[in-house]
Amino acid sequence: MKKLFAYIPLLLLAFAAKAQYYLRGEITDEKSQPLQGVKILLHSKNQLFFSGTSGGFGITTNKLYDSLTLTLEGYESKSVKVNSDLWQNIMLKVLPSNVNRNRPKLISVTKNLNHTSRVKWYIDNETYFQLVENEYVNAVKYPNTGFSLNVNKASYSNVRRFINMNSTVPPDAVRMEEMVNYFNLHYREPEKNDLFRLESQLTSCPWDAEKLLLVLDVNARKLDLSRIPPSNFVFLIDASGSMDMPNKLPLLKAAFQLFVKNLRPIDTVSIVTYGGTVGIWLQPTSGSDKEKIIKSIEELTAMGDTPGQSAIMAAYTLANSTFIKGGINRVILATDGDFNVGAATEKELDELITKERQSGVYLTCLGVGMGNFKDSKLETLAKRGNGNYAYIDDLKEAEKVLVKELTQTFYAVADDVFLNIQFNSNLVKEYRLIGFDNRRDAVSDSSIDLEGGEVGSGNSVLAYFEIVPASDQLFKEVTFVKDKIATVDMRYSLCNDTTHLRFIRDCPANFLEFKNIDKELQFATAVAMFGLKVKQSKYIKNADWMDIKTIASESYNPNVFLQAEFLQLVDKAEAIYSKKKKKKGKAD
């Protein structure tokens, strides 16, 4: 009998070890709204779980009493002790710094400026955000400025579409940073252990002899495609009635079929379509089964209305169900952006995608079409979805985005990337950031909230500053000033990691006359001048079309089709805008 009593504690311990409890509950915000994608760390197992779309969770544990730590971007982390027999109602508070996170965010920061206004442009039923062009800033009073980096290139191909249609371009469709970076010029491999390489060049300004140009060049490391982890792609394809045009759904079908040819056996593809209804068109399929994927794409037809909101939610749900931990998880939305069922405004889409991005799934937007093209909506989705945005106007562009620049488009090396630059006011009197212009609704907000961007593998991102030197003679008598002209502090996060890293470099006053700088930088400058010209910027009045053509023809690479095509585009634009100017003169 004594031996039996001695075994009882051991039996109780064994029973407790094998006992299973089901820890359940719901996570909400301060307004009792459910929070999806909350990271839930179960301390007893040291395992990570996530809350579902309704904020609920259910976790098996062998502990009656346990503890959790909950984290979600934009909310205060919380640790709680729990009783597995009880339903858990857990509330997370919004971080004070994140109260305005759903307001329009800035992509560049300047201070104390009166921004010029401009009449709103309309082109058929297309929509573009109204942009406020950056102006000159006093470097003594405000030596610091910041801007977001991203790999969006949609604006150039969209501008090309207008020019090829023999039409002027809506000024707000011209995003200067996307124009310049369309060509991925002047790429230089980062040093062995660095993720980024930053170079700068100071030169004369070809459209204003009294100014200088400072060119920043940020290069991201190239990923080895053979070493890239498995990818989980969900194609979210708009098959609604508005897509029933040759330059819409048929073009996208051809584009995706090109992309599929580069899939690896370790990659997974799913297809969600929306046109009248939302449905899973293709269940998760291995990249080795290319024929099956291509056949399912070919069978797509356009019909019905456009339930964009429910389609986006369905795509993210599918992406989360096939989520590859440590892999690449991305939804690729292909549409003209004309959502007419469910969330449709930019604000509604902003709020929707901000919730969905918490899952760690990235978003790429591919825009197509004309007439009812919704550029503003796709730009909103891409920025809020931790992703990028391209406009496909023909099959060559599809091949560029989905094949030739595959890793740049779909494989990010860092996100939430932004630069802060501090100018040396001993050398710089005033400066102006070209491009990275803010939406008017963001500028009108009294709070400043800088939004970082995503940078893809092997990207070269150029940024231009117009400089008013502190002295007219400062750079005319010497080619190199010992003092630095600026210091750049780049901050970024590794993908799926909220920890910010820093990369700091000085910009030497390494002045060279424009004709002596690298040919690729000369060509990029010609593209910048072209963008300013079609944008009808007040800062390019001293340059004419011949200046652009001369610089481009002397610096382009004839072996690169897109650079040769640019020269033709300048000729076409000159004819369009010169004709418009003559008509205006007659009217006057």
Side-chain angles (χ1 to χ4, degrees):
M1 183 64 70
K2 288 183 178 179
K3 287 184 179 181
L4 179 60
F5 281 113
Y7 281 118
I8 287 175
L10 295 175
L11 291 170
L12 290 173
L13 286 172
F15 176 78
K18 291 183 179 180
Q20 287 290 315
Y21 300 95
Y22 194 44
L23 177 60
R24 297 176 300 156
E26 181 186 37
I27 306 171
T28 62
D29 61 15
E30 293 163 285
K31 296 180 180 179
S32 298
Q33 295 299 308
L35 293 177
Q36 176 186 354
V38 178
K39 292 182 182 178
I40 307 169
L41 178 65
L42 181 66
H43 291 175
S44 63
K45 291 185 176 181
N46 197 30
Q47 288 184 346
L48 196 62
F49 303 88
F50 293 87
S51 61
T53 54
S54 61
F57 63 91
I59 302 170
T60 56
T61 175
N62 55 13
K63 300 279 189 182
L64 176 60
Y65 298 99
D66 214 321
S67 58
L68 308 173
T69 295
L70 303 100
T71 55
L72 180 65
E73 182 184 352
Y75 292 82
E76 294 179 359
S77 297
K78 189 171 188 177
S79 295
V80 293
K81 293 182 178 179
V82 292
N83 182 336
S84 299
D85 278 346
L86 302 177
W87 177 269
Q88 306 298 319
N89 288 301
I90 304 172
M91 184 267 289
L92 296 184
K93 293 183 178 180
V94 176
L95 284 169
S97 61
N98 211 50
V99 170
N100 297 322
R101 70 190 180 100
N102 285 332
R103 291 185 180 180
K105 291 192 176 184
L106 302 177
I107 63 169
S108 62
V109 175
T110 52
K111 302 184 183 196
N112 198 33
L113 298 176
N114 294 316
H115 297 277
T116 53
S117 60
R118 185 171 60 215
V119 176
K120 188 171 183 178
W121 279 57
Y122 295 90
I123 178 77
D124 291 335
N125 197 29
E126 299 190 10
T127 62
Y128 299 90
F129 282 122
Q130 283 189 283
L131 300 178
V132 177
E133 196 169 13
N134 290 319
E135 302 197 10
Y136 282 101
V137 180
N138 185 312
V140 175
K141 199 171 183 180
Y142 303 109
N144 286 287
T145 192
F147 60 96
S148 161
L149 288 192
N150 63 63
V151 294
N152 291 344
K153 300 177 181 180
S155 183
Y156 182 90
S157 48
N158 192 27
V159 167
R160 180 176 61 199
R161 185 249 303 187
F162 278 104
I163 300 297
N164 285 334
M165 289 170 54
N166 199 33
S167 168
T168 56
V169 182
D172 289 326
V174 184
R175 294 186 288 273
M176 289 298 303
E177 67 280 7
E178 296 181 23
M179 298 287 291
V180 170
N181 290 304
Y182 176 81
F183 298 90
N184 208 53
L185 296 164
H186 204 254
Y187 180 79
R188 300 291 185 269
E189 188 74 26
E191 296 296 326
K192 187 175 181 180
N193 296 320
D194 291 337
L195 187 61
F196 291 103
R197 176 178 185 144
L198 191 145
E199 294 184 351
S200 63
Q201 179 64 63
L202 187 65
T203 186
S204 47
C205 179
W207 64 85
D208 191 335
E210 296 181 356
K211 307 237 176 22
L212 303 173
L213 289 180
L214 176 64
V215 188
L216 301 182
D217 183 13
V218 179
N219 300 278
R221 178 165 295 285
K222 288 181 179 178
L223 299 176
D224 183 350
L225 192 58
S226 65
R227 296 184 178 181
I228 291 175
S231 301
N232 169 32
F233 293 116
V234 177
F235 299 169
L236 176 53
I237 301 177
D238 183 350
S240 63
S242 69
M243 297 291 289
D244 191 16
M245 296 178 67
N247 64 345
K248 291 189 177 183
L249 186 58
L251 177 58
L252 284 176
K253 287 163 66 172
F256 277 117
Q257 287 171 345
L258 286 173
F259 174 63
V260 168
K261 292 176 182 178
N262 281 313
L263 291 172
R264 304 163 298 171
I266 60 173
D267 298 329
T268 301
V269 166
S270 315
I271 300 178
V272 174
T273 61
Y274 59 105
T277 59
V278 176
I280 298 177
W281 186 261
L282 177 69
Q283 293 289 344
T285 303
S286 167
S288 62
D289 202 350
K290 292 180 173 58
E291 288 186 11
K292 179 180 178 182
I293 301 171
I294 290 173
K295 185 175 183 292
S296 72
I297 293 171
E298 188 56 42
E299 291 173 350
L300 289 167
T301 55
M303 64 178 70
D305 52 24
T306 319
Q309 177 185 10
S310 54
I312 290 170
M313 293 174 69
Y316 271 91
T317 300
L318 183 56
N320 284 316
S321 70
T322 53
F323 191 90
I324 301 173
K325 189 175 182 180
I328 308 297
N329 299 277
R330 188 176 290 266
V331 170
I332 304 173
L333 168 61
T335 177
D336 58 9
D338 189 18
F339 304 151
N340 55 28
V341 176
T345 69
E346 285 80 1
K347 184 179 179 182
E348 289 171 328
L349 293 170
D350 189 316
E351 293 173 351
L352 169 65
I353 212 69
T354 298
K355 291 179 182 178
E356 298 292 349
R357 68 182 280 184
Q358 308 296 339
S359 62
V361 176
Y362 286 70
L363 177 69
T364 289
C365 293
L366 304 178
V368 291
M370 62 182 72
N372 65 339
F373 176 56
K374 310 301 183 186
D375 176 89
S376 56
K377 292 179 181 178
L378 294 181
E379 187 187 359
T380 295
L381 289 168
K383 282 185 178 179
R384 278 292 196 247
N386 260 355
N388 48 26
Y389 167 35
Y391 177 81
I392 297 177
D393 55 338
D394 57 29
L395 196 57
K396 285 190 178 71
E397 184 65 17
E399 185 178 14
K400 173 181 182 288
V401 173
L402 299 176
V403 180
K404 293 179 180 178
E405 297 181 354
L406 175 72
T407 58
Q408 296 173 33
T409 306
F410 296 112
Y411 299 107
V413 297
D415 55 26
D416 200 18
V417 185
F418 59 92
L419 268 68
N420 181 75
I421 182 166
Q422 179 167 353
F423 285 96
N424 180 354
S425 58
N426 292 325
L427 302 182
V428 178
K429 181 180 179 182
E430 292 181 318
Y431 61 87
R432 186 181 92 83
L433 175 61
I434 299 176
F436 300 92
D437 299 324
N438 288 299
R439 289 162 43 183
R440 183 169 300 281
D441 55 350
V443 173
S444 63
D445 198 319
S446 60
S447 62
I448 290 181
D449 194 1
L450 188 63
E451 180 176 39
E454 175 195 280
V455 176
S457 162
N459 260 287
S460 171
V461 184
L462 296 173
Y464 278 77
F465 284 90
E466 287 184 64
I467 302 289
V468 179
S471 166
D472 291 341
Q473 300 300 316
L474 190 58
F475 297 101
K476 292 181 179 179
E477 297 176 355
V478 293
T479 57
F480 191 91
V481 176
K482 290 183 179 180
D483 205 354
K484 62 189 177 185
I485 193 168
T487 298
V488 175
D489 182 355
M490 185 167 76
R491 304 193 181 196
Y492 62 95
S493 297
L494 299 179
C495 298
N496 295 319
D497 188 344
T498 57
T499 304
H500 268 104
L501 304 174
R502 298 177 70 182
F503 183 81
I504 302 174
R505 290 292 184 274
D506 288 335
C507 298
N510 55 348
F511 178 79
L512 287 174
E513 288 292 345
F514 184 77
K515 63 182 180 181
N516 295 326
I517 68 173
D518 185 274
K519 290 292 184 184
E520 287 195 327
L521 293 182
Q522 290 182 31
F523 184 79
T525 306
V527 178
M529 294 171 70
F530 172 77
L532 289 168
K533 199 75 174 171
V534 297
K535 193 177 182 68
Q536 302 179 49
S537 169
K538 66 180 181 181
Y539 297 106
I540 196 70
K541 289 182 178 179
N542 294 336
D544 57 31
W545 293 103
M546 183 54 67
D547 295 329
I548 299 171
K549 289 193 286 187
T550 299
I551 294 171
S553 62
E554 292 177 353
S555 60
Y556 86 108
N557 184 343
N559 297 319
V560 178
F561 168 78
L562 289 172
Q563 293 188 29
E565 181 195 52
F566 173 73
L567 271 67
Q568 300 171 18
L569 206 63
V570 176
D571 284 334
K572 292 178 182 178
E574 181 185 17
I576 294 167
Y577 283 87
S578 297
K579 185 178 179 181
K580 178 190 173 189
K581 191 174 181 181
K582 287 179 183 177
K583 284 185 177 179
K584 185 178 178 183
K586 286 182 181 179
D588 292 340

